[in-house]
């Protein structure tokens, strides 16, 4: 026993030298009795518990603050025919951003549903009197309440306003969509059948393609037969031959007209001769103009002389009239005198 007791401390000493502590070691009652008691243990435990409760309460308050519970809100009442999918606490969004939260849902006296929404005052300016509210039940996802404001210049929506909400259920259109899909599939099956009109059209198109690959090609298909196509080709060849002859004729006429010995150079020479004759004629006419000017001067002199002769004749006539009056007086006074005669020159 003594040897065993002597060996234990050595083992313990060796263990302590190798590792600081043994994980599986259990303190003996004597060692536990040797520990000193902690001062004010109950007070410290109470303080730790209160601190933990304070942290939990602060976290709860922060979460409520982050959710906007303490923000001032305005009440908005939405009326709908059905509140299926609407729950208290769900958001009302505007352009994808939550601006309000459903407070509760109640049933009105007329059987309609009243959805009470708390709208934060900082986001209430997005709602106008012309705003539209929708309640959409999607196939994928839950029900959503959305607000749309098309004219931002309208007056703001006052608090405690009552507005109708437009409901839309995508799942309600599923039966109609399935029926339409069935009808489309039936029509497609009829179109793709062997004895369908589409099959006959495809057969005709195949025949048309085979005829287009034949001798007449597209021209034979357009005219109805290969013979007509050959006639048209022959006509085109004849037209090409005629055009070739016309090109030759035009080239020949061009050479006859515009060559050195052609018609146009001769016409040009004739025109030059005519221009020379016209120049000579112009000179002759200028001489005639000078002669006519001299004749006009002579005529003017003759006109002046004729005017002087008229005055002289008037004088002579007056003198003759006086002489006639004198002779008449003499005849009256001379009884045996014969009748005198006066002749004007």
């Amino acid at each position: 026993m003594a040897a065993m007791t002597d060996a234990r401390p050595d083992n313990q000493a060796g263990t302590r030298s190798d590792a600081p502590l043994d994980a599986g070691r259990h303190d003996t009652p004597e060692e536990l009795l040797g520990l000193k008691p902690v001062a004010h243990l109950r007070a410290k435990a109470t303080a730790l518990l209160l601190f933990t409760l304070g942290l939990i309460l602060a976290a709860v308050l922060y979460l409520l603050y982050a959710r906007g519970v303490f923000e001032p809100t305005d009440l908005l009442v939405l009326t709908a025919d059905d509140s299926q999918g609407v729950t208290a606490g769900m958001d009302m969004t505007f352009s994808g951003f939550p601006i309000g939260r459903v407070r509760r849902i109640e049933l009105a006296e007329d059987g309609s549903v009243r959805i009470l929404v708390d709208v934060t005052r900082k986001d209430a300016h997005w709602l106008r009197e012309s705003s539209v509210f929708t309640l959409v039940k999607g196939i994928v996802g839950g029900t959503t309440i959305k607000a749309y404001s098309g004219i931002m210049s309208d007056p703001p929506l006052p608090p405690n306003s009552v507005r109708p909400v437009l409901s839309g259920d995508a799942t309600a259109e599923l039966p109609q969509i399935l029926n339409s899909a069935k009808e489309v599939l039936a029509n497609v099956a009829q179109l793709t059948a062997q004895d369908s009109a589409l099959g006959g059209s495809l057969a005709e198109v195949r025949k048309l393609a085979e005829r287009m690959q034949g001798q007449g090609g597209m021209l034979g298909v357009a005219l109805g037969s290969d013979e007509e196509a050959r006639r048209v080709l022959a006509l085109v060849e004849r037209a090409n031959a005629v055009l070739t002859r016309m090109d030759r004729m035009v080239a020949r006429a061009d050479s006859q007209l515009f060559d050195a010995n052609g018609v146009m150079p001769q016409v040009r020479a004739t025109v030059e001769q005519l221009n020379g004759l016209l120049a000579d004629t112009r000179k002759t006419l200028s001489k005639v103009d000078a002669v006519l000017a001299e004749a006009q001067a002579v005529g003017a002199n003759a006109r002046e002389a004729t005017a002087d002769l008229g005055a002289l004749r008037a004088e002579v006539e007056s003198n003759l009239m006086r002489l006639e009056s004198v002779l008449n007086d003499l005849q009256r006074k001379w009884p045996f005198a014969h009748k005198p005669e006066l002749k004007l020159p």
Side-chain angles (χ1 to χ4, degrees):
M1 295 295 292
M4 294 176 64
T5 56
D6 293 337
R8 183 178 298 174
D10 294 336
N11 294 332
Q12 293 178 356
T15 305
R16 290 177 183 175
S17 62
D18 295 335
L21 292 174
D22 191 359
R25 179 186 172 187
H26 297 284
D27 295 332
T28 59
E30 292 80 2
E31 293 177 352
L32 292 176
L33 292 175
L35 296 176
K36 295 181 179 180
V38 180
H40 308 290
L41 180 59
R42 181 175 297 177
K44 291 180 180 179
T46 304
L48 180 60
L49 181 60
L50 292 176
F51 180 71
T52 304
L53 292 176
L55 288 177
I56 296 173
L57 182 61
V60 172
L61 293 176
Y62 178 76
L63 290 175
L64 293 177
Y65 174 77
R67 294 288 295 175
V69 175
F70 302 107
E71 293 183 0
T73 58
D74 294 331
L75 181 63
L76 173 64
V77 180
L78 302 177
T79 60
D81 297 332
D82 188 5
S83 64
Q84 184 178 1
V86 181
T87 58
M90 68 181 299
D91 295 331
M92 182 182 71
T93 60
F94 178 83
S95 298
F97 292 90
I99 61 173
R101 185 177 295 104
V102 177
R103 181 195 301 176
R104 68 174 184 270
I105 305 168
E106 60 186 16
L107 192 63
E109 296 180 356
D110 57 352
S112 61
V113 178
R114 291 168 55 90
I115 303 173
L116 279 65
V117 181
D118 291 330
V119 181
T120 57
R121 291 183 182 176
K122 67 176 183 179
D123 296 327
H125 65 280
W126 296 113
L127 300 179
R128 302 291 173 171
E129 290 186 354
S130 60
S131 297
V132 178
F133 302 92
T134 61
L135 178 63
V136 181
K137 301 175 184 178
I139 299 175
V140 179
T143 304
T144 57
I145 300 176
K146 297 181 181 180
Y148 299 93
S149 297
I151 305 175
M152 299 303 298
S153 59
D154 288 347
L157 187 67
N160 300 324
S161 299
V162 180
R163 290 290 185 273
V165 62
L166 303 177
S167 300
D169 190 0
T171 59
E173 299 180 359
L174 284 177
Q176 184 178 358
I177 294 173
L178 292 175
N179 292 331
S180 300
K182 290 180 180 178
E183 292 178 358
V184 171
L185 291 175
N187 293 331
V188 171
Q190 292 179 0
L191 289 174
T192 56
Q194 295 182 356
D195 55 348
S196 62
L198 181 60
S201 300
L202 292 176
E204 294 294 333
V205 170
R206 188 179 298 108
K207 293 179 181 178
L208 182 62
E210 292 176 354
R211 289 185 61 187
M212 290 174 63
Q213 293 177 359
Q215 184 178 3
M218 293 184 62
L219 189 60
V221 173
L223 297 177
S225 63
D226 296 338
E227 185 178 358
E228 295 293 334
R230 286 192 294 271
R231 289 180 181 177
V232 171
L233 292 175
L235 182 61
V236 171
E237 291 178 356
R238 291 179 61 186
N240 290 330
V242 171
L243 289 175
T244 304
R245 293 180 61 186
M246 289 181 65
D247 291 337
R248 294 176 181 174
M249 292 175 63
V250 169
R252 187 178 300 170
D254 191 5
S255 62
Q256 291 178 358
L257 288 174
F258 299 102
D259 284 347
N261 297 324
V263 176
M264 293 303 296
Q266 297 177 2
V267 171
R268 188 179 296 109
T270 304
V271 170
E272 291 177 355
Q273 292 178 0
L274 288 175
N275 289 330
L277 292 175
L278 288 175
D280 296 339
T281 304
R282 192 179 294 108
K283 292 179 182 179
T284 305
L285 289 176
S286 61
K287 293 179 180 180
V288 171
D289 290 337
V291 172
L292 289 176
E294 293 179 356
Q296 287 179 356
V298 172
N301 294 329
R303 190 180 298 108
E304 291 178 358
T306 304
D308 294 339
L309 288 175
L312 182 60
R313 186 186 180 96
E315 252 177 60
V316 171
E317 287 181 355
S318 64
N319 292 328
L320 288 175
M321 289 177 66
R322 291 178 183 176
L323 182 60
E324 185 180 3
S325 62
V326 171
L327 290 176
N328 290 330
D329 291 336
L330 288 175
Q331 189 176 3
R332 283 193 306 270
K333 293 178 179 180
W334 190 266
F336 299 103
H338 62 275
K339 185 176 180 179
E341 292 181 358
L342 294 177
K343 294 183 180 179
L344 294 175

